[in-house]
Structure formats: structure tokens, C-alpha cells
Amino acid sequence: MRRPARHLLSIDDVSDADLRALVDRGAALSRGEADPPRPLDGQVAGMHFRMTSTRTRAAFSVGALRLGAHVLALGPGDLQTGTGETSADTGRVLAGMLDLIVARTGGAVAELRGWAAQDRMSVVNAMSGTEHPTQALADLATLRLRFGDVEGLRILYVGEGNSTAAALSLALSRFRGVELELRTPPGYGLAPDVLAAAGGHAARRGARITELHTMHAPPDDVDVIYTTRWQTTGTTKKDPDWRTAFGPFQVTEKLWAHSPKAAFMHDLPAHRGEEVTPGVLDGPDSIAFEQAANKLYSAMAVLEWCRGDIA
Ligand code: CP
């Protein structure tokens, strides 16, 4: 009998055991240790991206193909969601035809929860307005590969408290001994509910998460410095003078001097000279492009997990 489909809409939908299994599986696939069978043989995976994507869409499309699925591209204006069809009706109809859908809506995750109100077609959030969970899974797989373990790492996140920062906070706060410090511009921090949820995870698992709105006195000797672009795909900032607030939050060689052994991470796309200097992004300690490459392996792990093949 067919197993009920699993959905990945938020990091908080995934148990601790499954989170670790997804991270480990992504890392193993990246190392070439785990030759995957073709668990999606004959299945159909829809890719619905309402906003641009280089990495996430390619990773899930190629990942689905490598796992044996056929891929159906559904463009930004292709569904009737824009003409008033409810999300529950959309999910119910698509579930009769697709085995899996990966969607970047850029809007509220509630829409995807409507699609996921059935257990035949898996729904994967490829970035909503509030969270980018599959990015965090690729990031943690990259950390696992670089450091051997995620537990105990000290990570400095610099920049906007956007969907990537939210997913990263919700994921890292579930690993013992992790110290995550976010430095976000005033007015551009993590959403209070995300900070509270991540703080709760951290308290229960022996991790620590802090957020400050200044670049004064950055921490020394962190393991990782992570940033993201200042203008997240599909978003705009109301304040025309927002760059004044973001200016001090650029990752520079001067910031690097506080943590000379740190690895640099960036979810990409990057804007050299804005959120990061070219010297840091293209320097020897940058693992941003390994991180991007790992999106494929992490996507494959997510697709396997959705169909019940890991954890
Ligand atoms: N990091 C990331 O999500 O990249 P894309 O927007 O290109 O998918």
C-alpha cells in the first residue's frame, strides 16, 4: 500500500530525528557515498515557481530527474490560484495528477498548507515569504561536510532576518551546543515569532540564539560567518533609505579579522560590494559555491524523505 505523502513546509514540521537524517543524507549524497536508487521512478514532480530561482529550481528539477521522476514545469501564471481557486481545491486537484510539487510562492505559507491538506501529493516549500526551509537543509549539510558535525558550532549571521535567516535559526537552534548570533539591521530583524520559536528550541536542546541590531563589537573566533543578499527575491523595502541601515552590516575583511579561521557562507545570489566584499566571497575561506552545489544533494534527500524513503 502506498505510504501517505510527507510535506516539507517549515523546518518546524520535521522531527529532530528527521532533521538529522535529512542533513546526513544530503551530506552523504554530496560525498558520493550513497548511490540513490530511483525511488521516484515513474512519478511526476511539479515545479511551480512564481519568482525567479537559479539554484532551488534547478536543484529540485535535476534531483527529481536523477531519482527517476518526470518533471512538469508550472510557471508563475499557469495555475488558477491567481483567479480565485482556493488553495485546498488546488491541492486536491493537483494531488490527483502529481506525486509531488515543489513551490516557490513568496507569499504566506498558509497557501501551501492548503495544498498539503491531502496525503497523496507531497508539497515542498521552495521559499515562502517567511521561510526557506530547503535552503537551511542544504546549509546544514554543508556544515556537516565541512566540520563533521553541526553540534557545537559558533555561527555569526549578518544581514536581514529574512526567510533564509528564519529557516537557519529554526534548524540550528535544534543542535546541542550551537551558538548562533544574528546581527540584523534595526527594523530588519527576525520575525518575533521565529525568534521566540528558535529560542524555545535552543533552550530545550542546549543551544543558544541571540540577535543584536548593531555591528559594534562582533564576536571573535566564530566557525562560520553567513550572510545573504540585501534584497531578497520577490521583496521590496518600504523605506527608500534602507541602505543606510544595511551599510554597516556588510561582511568585510575587517569583520573577518575577528574570526580569521571562519568559513564564509552565502545562500546566493550574491551582490559583491553590497552584503559582502569580493575578497571575502571569492576568498579561500568561502564555501558559498560548495553550499550552492549541495542544494542538489539536499534536494534529493528531501525528495526521498517526502516519499518515505529515509528516516
Ligand atoms: N539560494 C537560493 O534560494 O537561490 P535561488 O533563489 O537561485 O533558488
Side-chain angles (χ1 to χ4, degrees), residues 49 52-57 104 126-127 132 135 233 267-269 295:
F49 280 68
T52 53
S53 168
T54 296
R55 280 144 288 273
T56 313
R57 178 171 165 160
R104 173 170 289 188
M127 194 174 94
H132 195 355
Q135 181 65 47
T233 305
D267 63 348
L268 304 178
K295 289 200 65 149

Side-chain angles (χ1 to χ4, degrees), residues 4-290:
R6 288 165 161 168
H7 310 292
L8 180 64
L9 305 183
S10 166
I11 288 292
D12 274 358
D13 292 342
V14 179
S15 70
D16 280 6
D18 282 9
L19 178 58
R20 278 160 178 75
L22 281 161
V23 170
D24 290 351
R25 180 67 176 166
L29 287 165
S30 177
R31 281 191 298 256
E33 280 174 8
D35 194 20
R38 291 168 62 86
L40 305 189
D41 227 353
Q43 299 191 9
V44 183
M47 300 291 149
H48 177 55
F49 280 68
R50 287 188 200 150
M51 297 185 307
T52 53
S53 168
T54 296
R55 280 144 288 273
T56 313
R57 178 171 165 160
F60 275 98
S61 301
V62 174
L65 288 167
R66 283 173 70 160
L67 295 174
H70 304 281
V71 172
L72 175 69
L74 299 160
D78 286 354
L79 299 183
Q80 297 285 18
T81 49
T83 63
E85 186 161 30
T86 69
S87 53
D89 287 355
T90 304
R92 191 171 167 185
V93 171
L94 290 177
M97 304 173 192
L98 302 177
D99 299 284
L100 202 141
I101 189 158
V102 180
R104 173 170 289 188
T105 61
V109 80
E111 180 181 1
L112 295 182
R113 294 216 179 274
W115 294 14
Q118 44 72 38
D119 64 5
R120 192 196 170 277
M121 173 186 73
S122 294
V123 182
V124 176
N125 175 6
M127 194 174 94
S128 66
T130 50
E131 200 183 323
H132 195 355
T134 67
Q135 181 65 47
L137 294 174
D139 296 343
L140 268 62
T142 304
L143 292 171
R144 174 93 164 72
L145 288 161
R146 174 78 172 199
F147 296 99
D149 201 347
V150 176
E151 287 190 356
L153 292 177
R154 295 184 67 225
I155 296 162
L156 172 63
Y157 177 92
V158 180
E160 190 172 26
N162 56 19
S163 54
T164 291
L168 204 55
S169 300
L170 293 171
L172 285 172
S173 56
R174 287 163 64 176
F175 285 79
R176 191 164 51 87
V178 162
E179 291 180 25
L180 172 63
E181 182 163 322
L182 297 109
R183 297 289 186 119
T184 55
Y188 297 95
L190 274 184
D193 61 325
V194 172
L195 187 58
H201 297 334
R204 284 188 289 278
R205 277 109 175 160
R208 196 155 63 98
I209 176 167
T210 52
E211 183 181 39
L212 297 172
H213 302 300
T214 173
M215 285 307 288
H216 177 68
D220 291 318
D221 296 322
V222 296
D223 298 301
V224 176
I225 299 177
Y226 191 126
T227 194
T228 63
R229 68 193 293 194
W230 286 348
Q231 289 178 287
T232 304
T233 305
T235 65
T236 52
K237 295 180 175 45
K238 287 185 194 132
D239 180 3
D241 197 28
W242 63 268
R243 283 178 189 278
T244 305
F246 276 70
F249 292 81
Q250 186 185 56
V251 176
T252 63
E253 284 78 357
K254 193 171 162 205
L255 176 63
W256 211 260
H258 289 267
S259 299
K261 293 185 184 156
F264 174 72
M265 293 179 73
H266 190 310
D267 63 348
L268 304 178
H271 284 193
R272 291 171 177 79
E274 284 202 351
E275 73 275 6
V276 61
T277 60
V280 171
L281 179 64
D282 300 314
D285 299 311
S286 173
I287 55 171
F289 288 88
E290 293 164 46

